[in-house]
Amino acid sequence: MTDIEKSAATTVIPPADTGRRHFLKVAGTTAAATVAASSIPRAFAQKKAINIGFIPLTDCASVVMAEELGYFKKYGVEVNVVKQASWAAVRDNLLSGDIQAAHLLYGLPLSVYTGVGGMAGKEIPIAMVIDNNGQAITLANSLSSVAGNDLKKSGAAMNALIAAKKAPTLAVTFPGGTHDIWMRYWLAAMGVPQSKVGIIVVPPPQMVANMKVGNMDGFCVGEPWGGVAVDQNIGFTALTTQQLWKNHPEKVLGLNKEFSARTDDVKAVMRAVLDASAWLDSLPNRRAAAKVIAQQKYVNASETVIRDRLEGRYALGAGQGTKQYLGDQMMFSRAGATNAPRHGHAIWFMAQYVRFGLLKQAPDYQAVASKLLMTDLYAQVAKEAGLKVPSDDMSSFTVTLDGAKFDPKNPAAYIKANPIPV
């Protein structure tokens, strides 16, 4: 990999005080490794570096590889990629300005602004989408009766556990974030009341260790942690999120509000991440990426597990064999189809908040989506990069798992037609 520059500066910003957070966090320790920053070239000597946060997950790859491949420098910005301890830490550090941008859960800015994830009314603008697919719901081996693709059978097994007073505790990564919604959506599709199970919040890198010691019975998180649980024979993959909603939006490039006004710098960062995204969607490059992001300063996990699931090869565990995903594994570009932020997707997430009772009344869907999504800027950057902007911004779509159709122009009708089990 002679074309990869070993110049990444990776540090850990400790999470801010948690007294104001609106969620339960399982205690755990997060290793903090600090790597000295490389020297800043003369061209950047008078310009402060941009700190871009990331969580140790496979889908941080476009941010990490934009740095490692020299794409940020190509577009004239000096960047430090900064490892974060939890999604709450990312939220707090974006709002405080300690970091200027971040690899971020799609739902987090919506959750924060609406108050589901704390800090109601605070804006975290969304510049672009980073990836589709590639998350998983993993269950402990003791819940193998819930394995398989038959929702009715799996739901009956889960409800039987609840009736026997053995309701599982399930972990997600942030209230109203993507993993929280994937877990709740799966439960609803199986006919399982979410109020009957425990749903707690655990930072992604702590998922496997917490399930190993029995703090919970399952979790929804990004790779590689689902694959690591299978590899260590701690759990099995019950559902991948591409099975739930093929090509769903997953992570975004989120911005500090003040930084979002620095248009030239934001566009440069976006161009670098778009280049890295296209590089990652060339499958032969994924092996090189797996080797890089597996390092301790990035994801700190098995290169083999990262590589396999990046290539769409899933060992599922619990006697389910191996499944090969082709074209619907984790995707970073799809010639720009991945990266365009869509108002309809933002409205879908907020409709789930109402549907699942996370919000007691509907927000002004369109106003919130328009406030947070930087669609006009993305269109400019896409044009400069020679990428087509999709024309489906507010188009109806169907969720793969249960066939539910969503019209972003009428979320109230969708909620009424799709009640959750109680």
Side-chain angles (χ1 to χ4, degrees):
M1 295 185 297
T2 57
D3 59 335
I4 294 178
E5 297 184 352
K6 299 300 179 183
S7 62
T10 307
T11 59
V12 173
I13 292 182
D17 175 65
T18 59
R20 62 182 181 277
R21 296 179 189 161
H22 294 179
F23 57 83
L24 171 63
K25 175 181 175 184
V26 172
T29 58
T30 301
T34 301
V35 179
S38 58
S39 59
I40 298 176
R42 185 188 306 273
F44 302 112
Q46 302 303 316
K47 194 170 185 178
K48 188 175 181 181
I50 298 165
N51 292 325
I52 303 181
F54 73 94
I55 289 286
L57 293 165
T58 299
D59 56 19
C60 74
S62 57
V63 170
V64 168
M65 296 311 299
E67 172 65 8
E68 291 276 354
L69 293 164
Y71 292 154
F72 289 124
K73 291 181 180 178
K74 172 185 174 182
Y75 290 106
V77 287
E78 180 72 10
V79 161
N80 296 322
V81 289
V82 188
K83 186 182 284 189
Q84 305 284 282
S86 67
W87 290 119
V90 179
R91 174 200 64 189
D92 293 350
N93 289 324
L94 276 173
L95 292 175
S96 69
D98 288 339
I99 57 177
Q100 286 72 56
H103 150 251
L104 194 65
L105 295 166
Y106 187 102
L108 192 148
L110 303 167
S111 172
V112 168
Y113 190 81
T114 59
V116 173
M119 314 295 185
K122 294 291 186 180
E123 295 179 37
I124 298 175
I126 294 172
M128 58 181 281
V129 177
I130 287 179
D131 68 297
N132 304 136
N133 309 321
Q135 318 299 295
I137 293 174
T138 303
L139 299 180
N141 289 326
S142 60
L143 296 181
S144 60
S145 61
V146 186
N149 295 325
D150 187 329
L151 287 175
K152 185 175 180 180
K153 182 178 179 181
S154 296
M158 187 74 83
N159 281 320
L161 291 170
I162 293 170
K165 301 189 183 306
K166 297 179 180 178
T169 297
L170 305 171
V172 298
T173 62
F174 189 84
T178 53
H179 305 118
D180 187 21
I181 299 308
W182 308 144
M183 181 68 81
R184 292 176 190 274
Y185 201 102
W186 176 66
L187 291 171
M190 290 194 300
V192 176
Q194 59 179 310
S195 60
K196 303 296 184 182
V197 302
I199 298 180
I200 63 173
V201 172
V202 177
Q206 298 176 20
M207 289 291 192
V208 174
N210 273 281
M211 194 158 78
K212 189 173 185 178
V213 299
N215 286 338
M216 74 269 201
D217 308 293
F219 57 78
C220 184
V221 73
E223 296 300 341
W225 306 114
V228 169
V230 173
D231 187 59
Q232 295 184 7
N233 198 32
I234 293 166
F236 65 93
T237 301
L239 184 80
T240 64
T241 55
Q242 51 265 47
Q243 291 174 298
L244 192 155
W245 175 7
K246 182 179 176 180
N247 291 333
H248 66 79
E250 180 51 43
K251 301 298 190 302
V252 299
L253 182 68
L255 306 178
N256 165 268
K257 174 66 173 174
E258 287 69 32
F259 177 70
S260 70
R262 289 166 51 183
T263 304
D264 289 344
D265 284 343
V266 173
K267 290 172 70 175
V269 169
M270 292 170 69
R271 285 296 303 273
V273 174
L274 283 171
D275 282 7
S277 298
W279 183 88
L280 283 160
D281 268 7
S282 175
L283 287 179
N285 291 334
R286 294 196 175 198
R287 292 201 168 204
K291 186 177 184 66
V292 172
I293 67 175
Q295 296 176 74
Q296 183 180 17
K297 63 181 179 177
Y298 294 130
V299 179
N300 192 25
S302 163
E303 177 187 340
T304 301
V305 172
I306 292 172
R307 182 192 67 217
D308 283 353
R309 293 208 169 188
L310 261 179
E311 294 180 350
R313 190 168 49 255
Y314 283 56
L316 300 173
Q320 299 178 101
T322 299
K323 182 175 177 62
Q324 178 70 56
Y325 292 92
L326 293 172
D328 58 350
Q329 73 272 46
M330 188 179 292
M331 302 298 289
F332 295 89
S333 175
R334 295 192 297 131
T338 290
N339 308 114
R342 295 163 173 84
H343 288 84
H345 291 170
I347 292 170
W348 183 89
F349 272 95
M350 289 185 282
Q352 304 311 313
Y353 297 167
V354 177
R355 181 182 176 219
F356 296 135
L358 301 177
L359 286 178
K360 296 191 180 300
Q361 60 183 23
D364 187 335
Y365 294 106
Q366 187 63 58
V368 175
S370 296
K371 183 179 287 289
L372 297 180
L373 270 59
M374 302 178 71
T375 51
D376 290 344
L377 184 65
Y378 175 79
Q380 292 177 32
V381 174
K383 182 178 180 180
E384 292 171 7
L387 296 172
K388 181 180 179 180
V389 177
S391 59
D392 59 352
D393 180 62
M394 284 290 287
S395 297
S396 298
F397 56 88
T398 300
V399 176
T400 312
L401 186 66
D402 57 0
K405 186 174 182 180
F406 182 75
D407 180 358
K409 300 180 186 69
N410 194 356
Y414 162 84
I415 294 167
K416 185 177 180 180
N418 293 275
I420 64 170
V422 293

